Amino acid sequence: MIEKEIPFEIKRIYYIYGVPTDSVRGEHRHFKTVHALICLKGSLEIYANNGKTEENFVLDRPDRGLIVPPEDWHSMYNWSKDAFLLVLASEYYDPAEYIAEAYP
């Protein structure tokens, strides 16, 4: 059961789909929101930078996900045409919670 694997209380659930293959989404970090990203169909790539390390991840299986801590500036790119991303968040939506500046 997925709810037993998520290391936070889920306060928000949303989907991202129908994204053009050459689009980049995200490009931000947060003050306190943690995300769990699960690609239910298709594939996409995630770039994450916490100010000390940078990593790239491929999400292409519905039985695996990625936990994105608030300090990770992240972007989502290389979307397949059929990509369907499930996002579980630890906080309710708040525009003041977003930090658009990337790490130097």
Side-chain angles (χ1 to χ4, degrees):
M1 299 173 104
I2 191 170
E3 62 273 11
K4 292 184 179 183
E5 301 297 323
I6 303 300
F8 55 82
E9 179 184 350
I10 300 167
K11 293 186 179 174
R12 182 174 178 222
I13 300 170
Y14 60 98
Y15 305 99
I16 302 173
Y17 61 95
V19 177
T21 57
D22 60 349
S23 289
V24 178
R25 300 285 303 264
E27 298 191 309
H28 64 269
R29 55 190 165 111
H30 294 274
F31 288 105
K32 61 182 180 177
T33 303
V34 181
H35 287 97
L37 308 176
I38 304 162
C39 189
L40 299 176
K41 184 177 181 185
S43 64
L44 68 137
E45 294 182 49
I46 309 287
Y47 165 79
N49 178 351
N50 66 11
K52 296 176 186 170
T53 60
E54 300 175 71
E55 293 186 71
N56 289 289
F57 303 91
V58 174
L59 297 182
D60 60 359
R61 295 174 49 177
D63 61 337
R64 295 187 143 196
L66 178 67
I67 301 296
V68 180
E71 65 272 11
D72 279 13
W73 189 92
H74 61 282
S75 60
M76 299 167 281
Y77 63 97
N78 201 19
W79 298 78
S80 68
K81 289 182 181 182
D82 60 344
F84 193 98
L85 182 67
L86 169 65
V87 182
L88 309 173
S90 66
E91 305 298 324
Y92 299 113
Y93 176 74
D94 177 0
E97 180 37 30
Y98 288 71
I99 304 168
E101 297 84 28
Y103 290 104

Short mmCIF file of all heavy atoms in Angstrom, two decimals, residues 6-55:
data_model
loop_
_atom_site.label_atom_id
_atom_site.label_comp_id
_atom_site.label_asym_id
_atom_site.label_seq_id
_atom_site.Cartn_x
_atom_site.Cartn_y
_atom_site.Cartn_z
N ILE A 6 4.93 6.33 2.03
CA ILE A 6 5.16 7.78 1.96
C ILE A 6 5.56 8.27 3.35
O ILE A 6 4.82 8.08 4.31
CB ILE A 6 3.89 8.51 1.45
CG1 ILE A 6 3.46 7.96 0.10
CG2 ILE A 6 4.12 10.01 1.39
CD1 ILE A 6 4.48 8.07 -1.00
N PRO A 7 6.72 8.95 3.48
CA PRO A 7 7.23 9.34 4.79
C PRO A 7 6.67 10.66 5.34
O PRO A 7 7.35 11.37 6.08
CB PRO A 7 8.74 9.44 4.54
CG PRO A 7 8.84 9.89 3.13
CD PRO A 7 7.69 9.20 2.42
N PHE A 8 5.45 11.00 4.94
CA PHE A 8 4.82 12.22 5.43
C PHE A 8 3.31 12.09 5.31
O PHE A 8 2.81 11.22 4.59
CB PHE A 8 5.32 13.46 4.66
CG PHE A 8 5.15 13.37 3.16
CD1 PHE A 8 3.95 13.66 2.54
CD2 PHE A 8 6.23 13.00 2.36
CE1 PHE A 8 3.81 13.58 1.16
CE2 PHE A 8 6.11 12.93 0.98
CZ PHE A 8 4.90 13.22 0.39
N GLU A 9 2.60 12.94 6.02
CA GLU A 9 1.14 13.00 5.89
C GLU A 9 0.80 13.67 4.57
O GLU A 9 1.32 14.75 4.26
CB GLU A 9 0.53 13.79 7.04
CG GLU A 9 -0.97 13.92 6.96
CD GLU A 9 -1.55 14.80 8.05
OE1 GLU A 9 -0.82 15.16 8.99
OE2 GLU A 9 -2.74 15.13 7.93
N ILE A 10 -0.03 13.05 3.77
CA ILE A 10 -0.41 13.59 2.46
C ILE A 10 -1.52 14.62 2.64
O ILE A 10 -2.60 14.31 3.13
CB ILE A 10 -0.87 12.46 1.52
CG1 ILE A 10 0.26 11.45 1.32
CG2 ILE A 10 -1.34 13.04 0.18
CD1 ILE A 10 -0.19 10.16 0.67
N LYS A 11 -1.23 15.86 2.23
CA LYS A 11 -2.21 16.94 2.32
C LYS A 11 -2.71 17.40 0.96
O LYS A 11 -3.70 18.11 0.87
CB LYS A 11 -1.62 18.13 3.08
CG LYS A 11 -1.35 17.83 4.54
CD LYS A 11 -0.92 19.07 5.27
CE LYS A 11 -0.69 18.78 6.74
NZ LYS A 11 -0.13 19.95 7.41
N ARG A 12 -1.99 17.03 -0.09
CA ARG A 12 -2.38 17.47 -1.43
C ARG A 12 -2.03 16.37 -2.43
O ARG A 12 -0.96 15.76 -2.34
CB ARG A 12 -1.64 18.75 -1.78
CG ARG A 12 -2.00 19.32 -3.13
CD ARG A 12 -1.33 20.69 -3.32
NE ARG A 12 -1.63 21.21 -4.64
CZ ARG A 12 -0.77 21.81 -5.43
NH1 ARG A 12 0.47 21.99 -5.03
NH2 ARG A 12 -1.13 22.25 -6.60
N ILE A 13 -2.92 16.14 -3.38
CA ILE A 13 -2.71 15.16 -4.43
C ILE A 13 -3.08 15.83 -5.75
O ILE A 13 -4.14 16.44 -5.86
CB ILE A 13 -3.59 13.91 -4.23
CG1 ILE A 13 -3.28 13.25 -2.89
CG2 ILE A 13 -3.43 12.93 -5.38
CD1 ILE A 13 -4.27 12.15 -2.51
N TYR A 14 -2.19 15.71 -6.74
CA TYR A 14 -2.53 16.21 -8.06
C TYR A 14 -1.79 15.42 -9.13
O TYR A 14 -0.90 14.63 -8.82
CB TYR A 14 -2.26 17.72 -8.19
CG TYR A 14 -0.85 18.17 -7.98
CD1 TYR A 14 0.00 18.39 -9.05
CD2 TYR A 14 -0.35 18.41 -6.71
CE1 TYR A 14 1.30 18.84 -8.87
CE2 TYR A 14 0.94 18.85 -6.50
CZ TYR A 14 1.76 19.07 -7.59
OH TYR A 14 3.05 19.51 -7.40
N TYR A 15 -2.20 15.62 -10.37
CA TYR A 15 -1.63 14.92 -11.51
C TYR A 15 -1.07 15.92 -12.49
O TYR A 15 -1.59 17.02 -12.63
CB TYR A 15 -2.71 14.10 -12.24
CG TYR A 15 -3.46 13.14 -11.37
CD1 TYR A 15 -4.71 13.46 -10.86
CD2 TYR A 15 -2.91 11.90 -11.07
CE1 TYR A 15 -5.40 12.56 -10.07
CE2 TYR A 15 -3.60 11.00 -10.28
CZ TYR A 15 -4.84 11.34 -9.78
OH TYR A 15 -5.52 10.45 -8.99
N ILE A 16 -0.02 15.53 -13.19
CA ILE A 16 0.49 16.32 -14.31
C ILE A 16 0.49 15.39 -15.52
O ILE A 16 1.09 14.31 -15.48
CB ILE A 16 1.92 16.84 -14.03
CG1 ILE A 16 1.94 17.69 -12.74
CG2 ILE A 16 2.43 17.65 -15.22
CD1 ILE A 16 3.33 18.12 -12.31
N TYR A 17 -0.18 15.81 -16.58
CA TYR A 17 -0.25 14.98 -17.79
C TYR A 17 -0.51 15.88 -18.98
O TYR A 17 -0.81 17.07 -18.82
CB TYR A 17 -1.34 13.91 -17.66
CG TYR A 17 -2.72 14.48 -17.46
CD1 TYR A 17 -3.57 14.68 -18.55
CD2 TYR A 17 -3.18 14.82 -16.19
CE1 TYR A 17 -4.83 15.21 -18.37
CE2 TYR A 17 -4.44 15.35 -16.01
CZ TYR A 17 -5.26 15.55 -17.10
OH TYR A 17 -6.51 16.09 -16.92
N GLY A 18 -0.36 15.33 -20.17
CA GLY A 18 -0.57 16.12 -21.38
C GLY A 18 0.51 17.16 -21.59
O GLY A 18 0.29 18.17 -22.27
N VAL A 19 1.68 16.92 -21.03
CA VAL A 19 2.79 17.87 -21.14
C VAL A 19 3.51 17.65 -22.47
O VAL A 19 3.87 16.52 -22.79
CB VAL A 19 3.77 17.69 -19.96
CG1 VAL A 19 4.96 18.63 -20.08
CG2 VAL A 19 3.06 17.88 -18.62
N PRO A 20 3.75 18.70 -23.24
CA PRO A 20 4.52 18.53 -24.47
C PRO A 20 5.90 17.93 -24.17
O PRO A 20 6.51 18.23 -23.14
CB PRO A 20 4.65 19.96 -25.01
CG PRO A 20 3.47 20.69 -24.44
CD PRO A 20 3.27 20.08 -23.08
N THR A 21 6.38 17.09 -25.05
CA THR A 21 7.61 16.34 -24.80
C THR A 21 8.83 17.24 -24.57
O THR A 21 9.76 16.84 -23.88
CB THR A 21 7.91 15.36 -25.95
OG1 THR A 21 8.00 16.10 -27.17
CG2 THR A 21 6.82 14.32 -26.06
N ASP A 22 8.82 18.44 -25.11
CA ASP A 22 9.97 19.33 -24.94
C ASP A 22 9.80 20.34 -23.81
O ASP A 22 10.62 21.23 -23.64
CB ASP A 22 10.26 20.06 -26.25
CG ASP A 22 9.09 20.92 -26.72
OD1 ASP A 22 7.98 20.78 -26.18
OD2 ASP A 22 9.29 21.72 -27.65
N SER A 23 8.75 20.21 -23.01
CA SER A 23 8.50 21.13 -21.91
C SER A 23 9.33 20.80 -20.68
O SER A 23 9.66 19.65 -20.43
CB SER A 23 7.03 21.10 -21.50
OG SER A 23 6.24 21.70 -22.49
N VAL A 24 9.63 21.84 -19.91
CA VAL A 24 10.28 21.68 -18.61
C VAL A 24 9.31 22.23 -17.57
O VAL A 24 8.80 23.34 -17.70
CB VAL A 24 11.62 22.44 -18.55
CG1 VAL A 24 12.25 22.31 -17.17
CG2 VAL A 24 12.57 21.94 -19.62
N ARG A 25 9.04 21.42 -16.56
CA ARG A 25 8.12 21.83 -15.49
C ARG A 25 8.91 21.89 -14.19
O ARG A 25 10.01 21.38 -14.09
CB ARG A 25 6.97 20.82 -15.36
CG ARG A 25 6.11 20.66 -16.59
CD ARG A 25 5.17 21.84 -16.81
NE ARG A 25 4.32 22.08 -15.67
CZ ARG A 25 3.06 21.64 -15.54
NH1 ARG A 25 2.52 20.93 -16.50
NH2 ARG A 25 2.35 21.92 -14.47
N GLY A 26 8.31 22.46 -13.17
CA GLY A 26 8.96 22.56 -11.87
C GLY A 26 9.81 23.81 -11.82
O GLY A 26 9.29 24.92 -11.76
N GLU A 27 11.12 23.62 -11.83
CA GLU A 27 12.10 24.70 -11.74
C GLU A 27 11.88 25.56 -10.50
O GLU A 27 11.78 26.78 -10.57
CB GLU A 27 12.10 25.54 -13.01
CG GLU A 27 12.50 24.73 -14.23
CD GLU A 27 12.78 25.57 -15.45
OE1 GLU A 27 11.94 26.42 -15.82
OE2 GLU A 27 13.86 25.37 -16.03
N HIS A 28 11.81 24.88 -9.37
CA HIS A 28 11.65 25.56 -8.08
C HIS A 28 12.02 24.60 -6.95
O HIS A 28 12.26 23.43 -7.17
CB HIS A 28 10.23 26.08 -7.91
CG HIS A 28 9.20 24.99 -7.87
ND1 HIS A 28 8.57 24.55 -9.00
CD2 HIS A 28 8.71 24.24 -6.84
CE1 HIS A 28 7.72 23.57 -8.67
NE2 HIS A 28 7.80 23.37 -7.36
N ARG A 29 12.04 25.14 -5.74
CA ARG A 29 12.17 24.36 -4.52
C ARG A 29 11.17 24.93 -3.53
O ARG A 29 10.40 25.84 -3.87
CB ARG A 29 13.61 24.38 -3.98
CG ARG A 29 14.19 25.75 -3.75
CD ARG A 29 15.69 25.65 -3.46
NE ARG A 29 16.32 26.94 -3.59
CZ ARG A 29 16.81 27.65 -2.58
NH1 ARG A 29 16.77 27.17 -1.34
NH2 ARG A 29 17.37 28.82 -2.79
N HIS A 30 11.16 24.42 -2.33
CA HIS A 30 10.16 24.83 -1.35
C HIS A 30 10.79 25.15 0.00
O HIS A 30 11.92 24.75 0.28
CB HIS A 30 9.12 23.72 -1.15
CG HIS A 30 8.30 23.47 -2.37
ND1 HIS A 30 7.16 24.16 -2.66
CD2 HIS A 30 8.46 22.61 -3.39
CE1 HIS A 30 6.65 23.74 -3.79
NE2 HIS A 30 7.43 22.79 -4.27
N PHE A 31 10.03 25.82 0.83
CA PHE A 31 10.46 26.05 2.21
C PHE A 31 10.24 24.81 3.06
O PHE A 31 11.11 24.43 3.84
CB PHE A 31 9.72 27.25 2.81
CG PHE A 31 10.16 28.56 2.25
CD1 PHE A 31 9.37 29.24 1.34
CD2 PHE A 31 11.37 29.12 2.62
CE1 PHE A 31 9.77 30.45 0.81
CE2 PHE A 31 11.79 30.33 2.10
CZ PHE A 31 10.98 31.01 1.19
N LYS A 32 9.08 24.16 2.91
CA LYS A 32 8.82 22.99 3.76
C LYS A 32 8.11 21.83 3.07
O LYS A 32 8.05 20.74 3.62
CB LYS A 32 8.06 23.39 5.01
CG LYS A 32 6.70 24.01 4.76
CD LYS A 32 6.04 24.42 6.07
CE LYS A 32 4.68 25.04 5.80
NZ LYS A 32 3.99 25.38 7.03
N THR A 33 7.60 21.99 1.88
CA THR A 33 6.84 20.94 1.22
C THR A 33 7.74 19.81 0.71
O THR A 33 8.71 20.05 0.01
CB THR A 33 6.02 21.49 0.04
OG1 THR A 33 5.16 22.53 0.52
CG2 THR A 33 5.18 20.41 -0.61
N VAL A 34 7.36 18.59 1.06
CA VAL A 34 8.00 17.38 0.54
C VAL A 34 7.06 16.80 -0.50
O VAL A 34 5.83 16.82 -0.32
CB VAL A 34 8.24 16.34 1.67
CG1 VAL A 34 8.92 15.09 1.13
CG2 VAL A 34 9.02 16.95 2.81
N HIS A 35 7.60 16.29 -1.60
CA HIS A 35 6.79 15.67 -2.64
C HIS A 35 7.19 14.21 -2.85
O HIS A 35 8.36 13.87 -2.71
CB HIS A 35 6.98 16.39 -3.99
CG HIS A 35 6.31 17.72 -4.05
ND1 HIS A 35 6.98 18.89 -3.82
CD2 HIS A 35 5.04 18.06 -4.32
CE1 HIS A 35 6.14 19.90 -3.95
NE2 HIS A 35 4.95 19.42 -4.26
N ALA A 36 6.22 13.40 -3.21
CA ALA A 36 6.47 12.05 -3.71
C ALA A 36 5.97 12.06 -5.15
O ALA A 36 4.81 12.43 -5.41
CB ALA A 36 5.72 11.01 -2.89
N LEU A 37 6.84 11.71 -6.09
CA LEU A 37 6.51 11.72 -7.51
C LEU A 37 6.48 10.28 -8.02
O LEU A 37 7.43 9.53 -7.81
CB LEU A 37 7.56 12.50 -8.30
CG LEU A 37 7.88 13.92 -7.82
CD1 LEU A 37 8.99 14.52 -8.65
CD2 LEU A 37 6.64 14.79 -7.86
N ILE A 38 5.38 9.92 -8.67
CA ILE A 38 5.22 8.57 -9.20
C ILE A 38 4.68 8.68 -10.62
O ILE A 38 3.61 9.24 -10.85
CB ILE A 38 4.25 7.74 -8.35
CG1 ILE A 38 4.72 7.71 -6.89
CG2 ILE A 38 4.10 6.32 -8.91
CD1 ILE A 38 3.66 7.30 -5.90
N CYS A 39 5.43 8.17 -11.58
CA CYS A 39 4.99 8.20 -12.96
C CYS A 39 4.14 6.96 -13.21
O CYS A 39 4.65 5.85 -13.29
CB CYS A 39 6.19 8.25 -13.90
SG CYS A 39 5.72 8.55 -15.62
N LEU A 40 2.84 7.15 -13.31
CA LEU A 40 1.91 6.04 -13.45
C LEU A 40 1.90 5.46 -14.87
O LEU A 40 1.57 4.30 -15.07
CB LEU A 40 0.50 6.48 -13.07
CG LEU A 40 0.33 6.95 -11.63
CD1 LEU A 40 -1.10 7.44 -11.41
CD2 LEU A 40 0.69 5.85 -10.65
N LYS A 41 2.28 6.30 -15.84
CA LYS A 41 2.31 5.86 -17.23
C LYS A 41 3.36 6.67 -17.96
O LYS A 41 3.58 7.84 -17.66
CB LYS A 41 0.94 6.07 -17.88
CG LYS A 41 0.82 5.56 -19.28
CD LYS A 41 -0.59 5.75 -19.81
CE LYS A 41 -0.67 5.20 -21.22
NZ LYS A 41 -1.98 5.46 -21.81
N GLY A 42 4.03 6.05 -18.92
CA GLY A 42 5.04 6.75 -19.69
C GLY A 42 6.31 6.96 -18.89
O GLY A 42 6.64 6.17 -18.01
N SER A 43 7.00 8.07 -19.20
CA SER A 43 8.26 8.35 -18.51
C SER A 43 8.58 9.83 -18.54
O SER A 43 8.03 10.59 -19.35
CB SER A 43 9.39 7.57 -19.17
OG SER A 43 9.58 8.01 -20.50
N LEU A 44 9.46 10.23 -17.65
CA LEU A 44 10.01 11.58 -17.60
C LEU A 44 11.29 11.53 -16.80
O LEU A 44 11.60 10.52 -16.16
CB LEU A 44 9.03 12.57 -16.98
CG LEU A 44 8.75 12.38 -15.49
CD1 LEU A 44 8.74 13.72 -14.78
CD2 LEU A 44 7.42 11.68 -15.31
N GLU A 45 12.04 12.63 -16.85
CA GLU A 45 13.27 12.71 -16.08
C GLU A 45 13.16 13.86 -15.09
O GLU A 45 12.47 14.85 -15.35
CB GLU A 45 14.46 12.91 -17.01
CG GLU A 45 14.71 11.70 -17.89
CD GLU A 45 15.92 11.84 -18.78
OE1 GLU A 45 17.00 12.21 -18.27
OE2 GLU A 45 15.78 11.59 -19.99
N ILE A 46 13.84 13.69 -13.97
CA ILE A 46 13.86 14.69 -12.91
C ILE A 46 15.30 15.08 -12.64
O ILE A 46 16.17 14.23 -12.48
CB ILE A 46 13.29 14.14 -11.58
CG1 ILE A 46 11.93 13.48 -11.77
CG2 ILE A 46 13.25 15.22 -10.50
CD1 ILE A 46 10.79 14.39 -12.01
N TYR A 47 15.55 16.38 -12.61
CA TYR A 47 16.84 16.91 -12.18
C TYR A 47 16.63 17.48 -10.78
O TYR A 47 15.66 18.22 -10.56
CB TYR A 47 17.32 18.00 -13.13
CG TYR A 47 18.44 18.84 -12.56
CD1 TYR A 47 19.75 18.37 -12.56
CD2 TYR A 47 18.19 20.10 -12.03
CE1 TYR A 47 20.77 19.13 -12.03
CE2 TYR A 47 19.21 20.87 -11.50
CZ TYR A 47 20.49 20.39 -11.50
OH TYR A 47 21.51 21.14 -10.96
N ALA A 48 17.50 17.13 -9.83
CA ALA A 48 17.40 17.63 -8.46
C ALA A 48 18.75 18.16 -8.00
O ALA A 48 19.78 17.53 -8.24
CB ALA A 48 16.91 16.52 -7.53
N ASN A 49 18.72 19.31 -7.34
CA ASN A 49 19.93 19.95 -6.83
C ASN A 49 19.62 20.49 -5.44
O ASN A 49 18.75 21.35 -5.29
CB ASN A 49 20.35 21.08 -7.78
CG ASN A 49 21.57 21.83 -7.32
OD1 ASN A 49 22.06 21.66 -6.20
ND2 ASN A 49 22.05 22.71 -8.17
N ASN A 50 20.32 20.00 -4.42
CA ASN A 50 20.07 20.46 -3.05
C ASN A 50 21.10 21.50 -2.60
O ASN A 50 21.20 21.81 -1.41
CB ASN A 50 20.04 19.29 -2.07
CG ASN A 50 21.37 18.60 -1.93
OD1 ASN A 50 22.41 19.07 -2.40
ND2 ASN A 50 21.36 17.45 -1.28
N GLY A 51 21.86 22.04 -3.53
CA GLY A 51 22.86 23.03 -3.20
C GLY A 51 24.23 22.42 -2.95
O GLY A 51 25.23 23.12 -2.90
N LYS A 52 24.27 21.11 -2.76
CA LYS A 52 25.54 20.39 -2.54
C LYS A 52 25.76 19.32 -3.60
O LYS A 52 26.88 19.12 -4.05
CB LYS A 52 25.53 19.75 -1.15
CG LYS A 52 25.46 20.75 -0.02
CD LYS A 52 25.37 20.06 1.31
CE LYS A 52 25.16 21.11 2.40
NZ LYS A 52 24.82 20.51 3.67
N THR A 53 24.69 18.62 -3.96
CA THR A 53 24.79 17.57 -4.97
C THR A 53 23.69 17.75 -6.01
O THR A 53 22.61 18.27 -5.71
CB THR A 53 24.68 16.16 -4.35
OG1 THR A 53 23.41 16.04 -3.70
CG2 THR A 53 25.79 15.89 -3.36
N GLU A 54 23.99 17.28 -7.21
CA GLU A 54 23.03 17.30 -8.31
C GLU A 54 22.83 15.86 -8.78
O GLU A 54 23.80 15.11 -8.88
CB GLU A 54 23.57 18.12 -9.48
CG GLU A 54 23.85 19.56 -9.14
CD GLU A 54 24.49 20.29 -10.31
OE1 GLU A 54 23.79 20.54 -11.31
OE2 GLU A 54 25.70 20.58 -10.20
N GLU A 55 21.58 15.50 -9.04
CA GLU A 55 21.28 14.16 -9.52
C GLU A 55 20.19 14.22 -10.57
O GLU A 55 19.34 15.11 -10.55
CB GLU A 55 20.82 13.25 -8.38
CG GLU A 55 21.90 12.96 -7.35
CD GLU A 55 21.43 11.95 -6.33
OE1 GLU A 55 21.30 10.77 -6.70
OE2 GLU A 55 21.20 12.36 -5.18
#
